[in-house]
Amino acid sequence: MHNIGILGAGLIGASWASFFAAKGLKVRIYDVNSEVKENALQTANDNLQRLVNLKMLTSKAAKTGQQNLQTVDSMKALLTDMDYVQESVVEDYAIKADVYREFEQYASLSTILASSSSGLLMTRMQSVMKHPARALIAHPFNPPHLIPLVELVPGEQTASSIIDTVKTFFVQLGKHPVVLNKEVQGHIANRLAAAIWRESLALLDEEVASVEDIDAALCQGPGLRWAMMGQHLIYELGGGEGGYQKFFDTIGASFEEYWKDMQDWTTIPEAVKQKAVAGTQAYLEQKNRSEWTAWRDQKLAQIQQVLSEE
Ligand SMILES: NC(=O)c1ccc[n+]([C@@H]2O[C@H](COP(=O)([O-])OP(=O)(O)OC[C@H]3O[C@@H](n4cnc5c(N)ncnc54)[C@H](O)[C@@H]3O)[C@@H](O)[C@H]2O)c1
């Protein structure tokens, strides 16, 4: 697959464009909002230069990437002779349905449609399509040009061969795809994130600690291990010589007590949102958002450099 279409060029679409261009592929960018589309082109060009600064890309590859990026003015122009489309439009079933219907007007039958959706169900999204077998979810983590994870999720009508093709494609591009056997809202990573986020908000609401200390308890502790090990392997080692079974036998019951004491909100109380927004202002006194983003991207590159060493 050489021709890549970016359909929806906001935060995630622009980062995807950077990723595919950095890999030497031809990238066409389309968004209904032409200002967003032109900004995405600029962001993608800037990201390629940042990848050079982070020593993740050669200057030559960045130049080729910049030459391979272009914006187009219509879905028709996006989809002519197109191999693979990464759809990153607004997270809304009705909007995605309109976009998928329009996609089918112009795309050839061999064009793959991959959605960046953070948690919608592909079965529902592809239900408006006449040829739904080529649609799947390929969910990135922000920013996709720096984070290797991509979650591949089939809908009920997705062909298994399409999942295999896209998995191989991403492996060749250096990503780390995981394939879900069946769809669930939020896939894997956002369900895990949702559990952590709810408890982060609840701890704030119960005034157990400040925003900064709740965040520090995560990133100065478990977060360091999470860059290289998931919870199952961590607790396998946490059981010592007895392994995971010993962990269940000795510590499992304590966790059951924590769960009984923890929040089970399914909506976020308004007052909690306000406390969280107010609590994060302290961060913005240290650095503005673009400074935090640049700092994050540099650390992400450095962590991956360390992890690539055996
Ligand atoms: N923000 C994140 O951290 C994140 C992470 C992973 C995945 N995602 C997913 O990526 C998708 C996009 O999220 P985002 O944060 O980039 O949103 P965004 O609001 O920044 O961008 C969405 C873009 O879609 C465009 N759009 C709307 N209707 C369109 C149409 N008919 N044709 C073409 N473009 C259209 C909008 O103009 C907008 O620029 C969502 O499905 C979201 O769940 C987001």
Side-chain angles (χ1 to χ4, degrees):
M1 294 192 277
H2 299 288
N3 291 315
I4 308 299
I6 299 297
L7 175 47
L11 182 77
I12 294 302
S15 178
W16 269 124
S18 323
F19 170 74
F20 289 119
K23 299 296 174 185
L25 302 170
K26 299 247 183 224
V27 179
R28 269 179 248 162
I29 303 172
Y30 173 68
D31 194 291
V32 271
N33 182 329
S34 53
E35 196 184 331
V36 168
K37 183 181 67 182
E38 294 310 323
N39 286 342
L41 180 64
Q42 184 62 49
T43 301
N45 276 311
D46 294 348
N47 280 340
L48 288 168
Q49 185 51 49
R50 287 193 195 105
L51 287 172
V52 175
N53 299 343
L54 293 169
K55 301 191 178 4
M56 295 176 81
L57 197 66
T58 63
S59 301
K60 191 167 168 236
K63 199 164 173 215
T64 307
Q66 287 167 344
Q67 286 162 353
N68 281 343
L69 283 162
Q70 67 170 130
T71 57
V72 290
D73 292 335
S74 65
M75 281 282 260
K76 188 175 178 195
L78 181 81
L79 296 171
T80 305
D81 295 328
M82 181 50 65
D83 300 319
Y84 175 95
V85 169
Q86 186 72 43
E87 170 274 301
S88 306
V89 304
V90 181
E91 184 83 339
D92 179 292
Y93 278 117
I95 293 174
K96 303 245 191 219
D98 286 345
V99 167
Y100 288 19
R101 285 191 198 98
E102 203 181 349
F103 168 91
E104 287 212 307
Q105 278 177 39
Y106 303 110
S108 77
L109 281 182
S110 61
T111 309
I112 292 175
L113 175 60
S115 174
S116 297
S117 172
S118 298
L120 303 181
L121 299 178
M122 180 41 74
T123 296
R124 185 162 163 196
M125 289 193 277
Q126 69 191 167
S127 66
V128 301
M129 297 177 76
K130 292 195 188 84
H131 302 285
R134 57 356 205 310
L136 76 159
I137 283 172
H139 172 245
F141 243 58
N142 186 40
H145 68 285
L146 285 172
I147 294 203
L149 177 67
V150 55
E151 296 179 292
L152 303 181
V153 194
E156 282 170 12
Q157 300 189 76
T158 306
S160 60
S161 60
I162 292 291
I163 297 284
D164 295 342
T165 301
V166 175
K167 182 178 175 189
T168 304
F169 174 58
F170 277 123
V171 168
Q172 285 168 350
L173 296 180
K175 282 236 174 252
H176 191 122
V178 298
V179 179
L180 275 69
N181 298 323
K182 60 178 181 182
E183 59 186 351
V184 283
Q185 286 185 67
H187 323 312
I188 300 174
N190 271 336
R191 287 173 85 98
L192 297 174
I196 299 279
W197 189 33
R198 180 165 60 190
E199 195 50 31
S200 298
L201 292 170
L203 289 165
L204 183 66
D205 188 44
E206 289 159 25
E207 296 180 4
V208 173
S210 65
V211 160
E212 285 174 288
D213 280 351
I214 293 167
D215 278 359
L218 197 61
C219 63
Q220 297 295 327
L224 288 173
R225 300 187 302 202
W226 283 336
M228 70 207 81
M229 289 178 186
Q231 210 61 18
H232 292 299
L233 178 55
I234 285 171
Y235 287 164
E236 162 59 39
L237 301 184
E241 284 306 307
Y244 210 0
Q245 185 60 54
K246 168 120 182 280
F247 193 88
F248 278 116
D249 295 343
T250 56
I251 303 177
S254 303
F255 276 71
E256 289 169 356
E257 291 305 312
Y258 311 156
W259 285 330
K260 285 175 204 158
D261 193 44
M262 283 162 66
Q263 265 299 352
D264 59 358
W265 289 328
T266 54
T267 52
I268 308 171
E270 211 44 54
V272 176
K273 291 182 196 170
Q274 285 171 18
K275 272 191 209 175
V277 171
T280 52
Q281 294 313 301
Y283 286 126
L284 298 176
E285 285 161 22
Q286 297 163 31
K287 293 183 187 62
N288 65 32
R289 285 196 188 93
S290 54
E291 287 166 343
W292 275 116
T293 303
W295 181 86
R296 175 200 68 189
D297 290 356
Q298 187 192 350
K299 297 295 175 199
L300 279 171
Q302 290 170 332
I303 289 168
Q304 286 179 69
Q305 176 58 42
V306 170
L307 292 176
S308 70
E309 295 159 6
E310 269 306 310

